[in-house]
Amino acid sequence: MNSNRWTRLFAWQRKIKNADEEEHKGQESSKTKKEETPKINWKEWVVDPSEEFYYTWLQIMILPICYNWVIIICRTCFYTIGETYLATWLTLDYICDLVFVLDTVIGFRTGFLEQGILVRDLSLLKMRYLHSSRFKWDIASLLPTDLLYLKLGIQTPLVRVNRFMRTGRLNEALDRMETRTAYPNTFRVAKLMLYIFVLIHWNACIYFSLSNYIGFGADPWVYPNISDPEFASTRRQYFYCFWFSTLILTTVGDTPMPEREEEYLFLVADMLIAVLVFASVVGSMGDVISSLRDRDNVFFPNHELVKGYLRSRRISKELQKRVNDWYQHLHINKKITRENEILQHLPITLQTATAVSVHLPTLSKVTIFQNCEKSLLEQLVLKLTPQVYSPGEYVCKKGDVGHEMYIIKEGKLAVVADDGVTQFAVLGDGNFFGEISILNIRGNKSGNRRTANIRSIGYSDLFSLSKENLTETLLEYPAAKRLLEEKGRQILTKMGMLEETDEVEGEVEKTEDKVTRLEACLETLQTKLARLIAELESSARKMMQRVEQLELQTEGWEGIVAEGAQGEIEEWGKVKEREIGDGEGEGEREKEDEEEPVVEGERGEGDGGEERLREKKNVGGNEISEKEKEETEEELIKTKMHQDQKR
């Protein structure tokens, strides 16, 4: 017994020690966590306008702004309210002023974007805020106009009217809330009702003040006499004035006829304001309804157009009923079939992220796409097209050419025989079919045709992936393409639908040999092309050198060639004259020879021909025979042609 007691005692002590150690470790871990949490450096603290803190602060700013718009005018006109709760109003006034001061401090610390980067330099932030128009309004709203209480009295809250200048923050807050809320149309209606409430409240306060100026109970139009106990309470005063103001601004119900000029002017002003209020209400509600209609048209196909088409074409009642049931199913269950059109308004990165979060788990269930690159799946996710099938509708039939594969998101489909009654299997959520038909696998016995009849049992939601989209995407992922084809061959082998013949292997080998031979030929052609380019460059350089040499040699030939051509023309004319004439004497021919121009210097081959002609003329002094004339003409023609070629 003693030993048992001692063992229990030791065990109890051990438990206590272990508990103390665990507590000590927990305290140490909490200390380390506290040490790890970064401390905020308030001297360098900057507010990011896109963060949650700025959005929360704008929502806080709504309260003091609305408080000033509602309470200041109420305390001014319903003086009994101001007197009864004076301490409460003063406390709330200065709390609102403190919030305005904090908002000004935050304005000095609010960052802005420059070239897409948040500016955190405090000096730049201060300068930007000081030079902005918002700073002027903020300072004007913080002016200590409460000091006028010393002269006008504590019962004049109208001195705080400058607090209305912070209304810009209210508009900013409401705009931010409208962009963030999930129900923007409802928010727009609520914002419009808030504006109308403030307008009716101000009108009620002014009506009560006007009644006090004219005299309570002076006529049926003003507020009744407050000496009557029924109309003496402050709550009754406010509710009566608010009701009367609502009647005027909404033009609903009958109001007493005015009897004084002040009453007429007040009613005229209220009627004009009522017209603006009615127009704003109608316009805002019209915008809300049109936006809801546009949203429905984007999310769902236009049913009215289809119904009009079916009626104009006199489609059978049975088919019209099927179409109407399909549309009704889409609207009741909020089925969206135009996701790609909706996501087009987003940048491609956000489109991919949204589609991945919605459809990637469904696409990952497909066997052939498992173990593929994530980037490939992200590309394919954007290509998925949602489709909805009605009960009894065939998704595909046996023998049809397969252009897309299907993934079942929701619903049940049956694999049926040709009679449409016998069911071989039932496919449910996450199943897929038609994946083999969009892969061009060699040796597939069925080709690209469907091998079964698939019919929807109820309403079924499917995703379709077309063959064109898959082929276009796989062009950028050749490794994934080979992997998918290999998986497809494995599936066909299990099904016994793959023809594994030696011819196919031989064709593959031949193709590889052709590719190798083409690569070798390409390398040879590249080498020859490089040689030809080098030879062309060298010949071009040589040609340029020869051209430069010829240009240097023929620099002074232009005038000589022109004179030689003129001499040839004159010689030709003289020869013709000799042929026509009666043969004049040697003296005349000598004169002609003396009159011929003699050009000094080198005159090329043409000058040599002319000298030979002169020699023939002077030899013997006799008349030139016909044969010699022909020879001289031929020589002249040859020299002329040669000169033309040189030019």
Side-chain angles (χ1 to χ4, degrees), residues 6-38:
W6 283 108
T7 54
R8 291 174 184 173
L9 182 62
F10 286 134
W12 179 67
Q13 288 180 351
R14 288 172 186 168
K15 288 180 181 179
I16 292 173
K17 288 181 180 180
N18 293 331
D20 292 338
E21 290 177 357
E22 289 178 357
E23 289 179 359
H24 184 66
K25 289 180 180 178
Q27 292 177 358
E28 289 181 352
S29 62
S30 62
K31 288 180 181 179
T32 54
K33 288 181 179 178
K34 289 180 181 179
E35 292 177 356
E36 290 176 357
T37 54

Side-chain angles (χ1 to χ4, degrees), residues 32-194:
T32 54
K33 288 181 179 178
K34 289 180 181 179
E35 292 177 356
E36 290 176 357
T37 54
K39 295 182 180 180
I40 299 175
N41 188 2
W42 294 105
K43 293 183 179 180
E44 299 180 357
W45 178 63
V46 175
V47 179
D48 188 353
S50 61
E51 288 182 350
E52 193 68 24
F53 172 79
Y54 189 78
Y55 177 69
T56 306
W57 179 253
L58 288 177
Q59 290 178 318
I60 294 172
M61 285 295 298
I62 294 175
L63 299 177
I65 295 171
C66 291
Y67 166 81
N68 287 321
W69 273 98
V70 174
I71 299 300
I72 290 176
I73 187 66
C74 184
R75 289 166 55 192
T76 302
C77 298
F78 294 91
Y79 49 87
T80 55
I81 295 176
E83 293 176 353
T84 307
Y85 307 100
L86 180 61
T88 304
W89 299 135
L90 291 177
T91 304
L92 293 175
D93 286 347
Y94 295 118
I95 289 174
C96 293
D97 291 347
L98 179 61
V99 175
F100 284 0
V101 171
L102 292 176
D103 183 60
T104 305
V105 174
I106 290 175
F108 281 105
R109 297 284 182 139
T110 303
F112 64 94
L113 295 178
E114 188 175 26
Q115 296 181 358
I117 300 173
L118 182 67
V119 177
R120 294 182 176 274
D121 190 353
L122 294 179
S123 60
L124 292 177
L125 299 182
K126 290 178 183 177
M127 292 298 296
R128 186 173 187 271
Y129 181 60
L130 290 173
H131 289 85
S132 64
S133 59
R134 177 191 157 190
F135 173 74
K136 300 175 183 177
W137 292 104
D138 292 348
I139 293 299
S141 66
L142 287 176
L143 292 176
T145 54
D146 294 31
L147 297 175
L148 295 175
Y149 283 149
L150 301 174
K151 183 178 181 180
L152 301 177
I154 199 69
Q155 298 298 333
T156 54
L158 199 62
V159 298
R160 294 177 53 85
V161 72
N162 62 322
R163 271 55 174 181
F164 295 159
M165 296 181 181
R166 287 270 177 165
T167 309
R169 299 292 274 174
L170 176 65
N171 297 330
E172 184 181 358
L174 294 178
D175 291 340
R176 288 286 187 101
M177 293 176 67
E178 183 176 348
T179 57
R180 281 203 172 197
T181 182
Y183 305 98
N185 294 318
T186 306
F187 182 81
R188 292 190 192 102
V189 174
K191 183 172 69 173
L192 178 64
M193 297 304 296
L194 175 64

Side-chain angles (χ1 to χ4, degrees), residues 192 196 199 248-252 270-286:
L192 178 64
I196 293 174
L199 181 62
I248 296 174
L249 293 179
T250 57
T251 64
V252 177
D270 275 7
M271 289 295 181
L272 294 176
I273 295 172
V275 172
L276 297 177
V277 170
F278 183 77
S280 63
V281 170
V282 172
S284 299
M285 296 306 297

Side-chain angles (χ1 to χ4, degrees), residues 605 607-617 635 639:
E605 295 179 6
D607 297 341
E610 291 179 359
E611 291 176 358
R612 287 194 298 270
L613 181 61
R614 291 192 192 99
E615 290 176 357
K616 288 181 180 180
K617 289 179 182 177
E635 289 180 0
T639 54

Side-chain angles (χ1 to χ4, degrees), residues 446-499:
S446 61
N448 291 332
R449 296 188 177 274
R450 306 293 187 187
T451 58
N453 300 314
I454 308 294
R455 190 180 65 180
S456 177
I457 298 175
Y459 285 101
S460 302
D461 296 344
L462 308 179
F463 287 116
S464 66
L465 178 63
S466 66
K467 182 178 180 180
E468 291 78 10
N469 290 333
L470 179 62
T471 305
E472 181 182 355
T473 306
L474 289 179
L475 289 175
E476 302 176 359
Y477 299 91
K481 182 179 180 181
R482 290 192 294 269
L483 180 62
L484 292 177
E485 290 178 352
E486 183 62 29
K487 288 184 177 181
R489 289 192 189 92
Q490 293 176 3
I491 295 172
L492 289 174
T493 303
K494 292 179 181 179
M495 296 170 58
M497 300 293 293
L498 184 64
E499 294 179 355

Side-chain angles (χ1 to χ4, degrees), residues 49 274 280 306 390 504 645:
S280 63
V306 178
S390 303
V504 177
Q645 288 177 0

